[in-house]
Amino acid sequence: MTQPSPQLHLPVALTREPTLTEYLPGPNAEAVAAIAALSGTTGEPLVFLHGASGTGKTHLLQAACLEASAHRLQAHYSRSRPRG
């Protein structure tokens, strides 16, 4: 049996360091609470956010990834682009 290849580490990093504390929730306070619980290990294991441009989704998800990393959890942020 052959040994699996070692995992390659890609030099991918978040472009800035937003925090959950600097995010100002508005009508989406429920989403902010879900993200905060997730990154603090008490929430759901997966969160999907969608909404209009400029509502802070990128900031919120990047902050959640950084917070999760601080708790030694794996976190992945993936940005999708609209089809068209």
Side-chain angles (χ1 to χ4, degrees):
M1 180 178 258
T2 61
Q3 295 291 330
S5 298
Q7 183 176 2
L8 298 176
H9 297 278
L10 301 176
V12 177
L14 300 173
T15 57
R16 49 181 274 233
E17 296 185 9
T19 64
L20 289 174
T21 57
E22 66 184 26
Y23 187 85
L24 302 174
N28 58 356
E30 186 177 353
V32 176
I35 292 291
L38 172 71
S39 62
T41 72
T42 60
E44 295 293 325
L46 176 68
V47 172
F48 175 81
L49 292 181
H50 67 94
S53 178
T55 57
K57 296 179 303 294
T58 298
H59 177 122
L60 185 57
L61 291 174
Q62 287 184 351
C65 287
L66 290 168
E67 185 72 19
S69 294
H71 287 96
R72 298 186 178 268
L73 299 171
Q74 288 187 350
H76 305 281
Y77 164 74
S78 176
R79 182 176 179 190
S80 65
R81 303 208 188 277
R83 294 182 188 186

